[in-house]
């Protein structure tokens, strides 16, 4: 379990650096797909942890609150 958390932290840092960098040129499509793949891998690694479960429940409650507060047509 410790190795999974270390890899997840490393992926979080890599994703943060990739998203926060300021390029003069637009990112290529392959560069965008690499970032998406890294984010998905991060999600898979962090999902079974306590933190991942907490995020899952928080997002679920947030989505439920938004759908309940939306006006019905």
């Amino acid at each position: 379990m410790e190795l999974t958390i270390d890899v997840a932290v490393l992926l979080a840092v890599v994703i943060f650096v990739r998203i926060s960098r300021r390029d003069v040129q637009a990112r290529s499509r392959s560069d965008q797909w690499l970032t998406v793949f890294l984010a998905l891998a991060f999600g898979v690694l962090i999902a079974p942890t306590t933190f991942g479960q907490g995020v899952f429940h928080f997002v679920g409650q947030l989505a439920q609150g938004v759908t309940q507060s939306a006006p019905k047509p």
Side-chain angles (χ1 to χ4, degrees):
M1 189 66 163
E2 189 173 331
L3 177 64
T4 303
I5 292 171
D6 292 342
V7 172
V9 170
L10 176 64
L11 269 177
V13 170
V14 169
I15 291 168
F16 178 77
V17 169
R18 288 185 61 80
I19 290 175
S20 66
R21 67 181 181 171
R22 307 252 188 255
D23 287 338
V24 176
Q25 299 175 350
R27 293 187 175 132
S28 67
R29 187 171 299 273
S30 61
D31 190 34
Q32 291 174 347
W33 277 112
L34 179 61
T35 303
V36 168
F37 174 75
L38 290 174
L40 280 170
F42 176 71
V44 167
L45 287 174
I46 201 152
T49 65
T50 305
F51 176 73
Q53 292 297 314
V55 170
F56 176 74
H57 290 299
F58 173 75
V59 171
Q61 289 176 353
L62 184 65
Q64 185 179 16
V66 168
T67 56
Q68 288 178 352
S69 67
K72 303 212 185 228

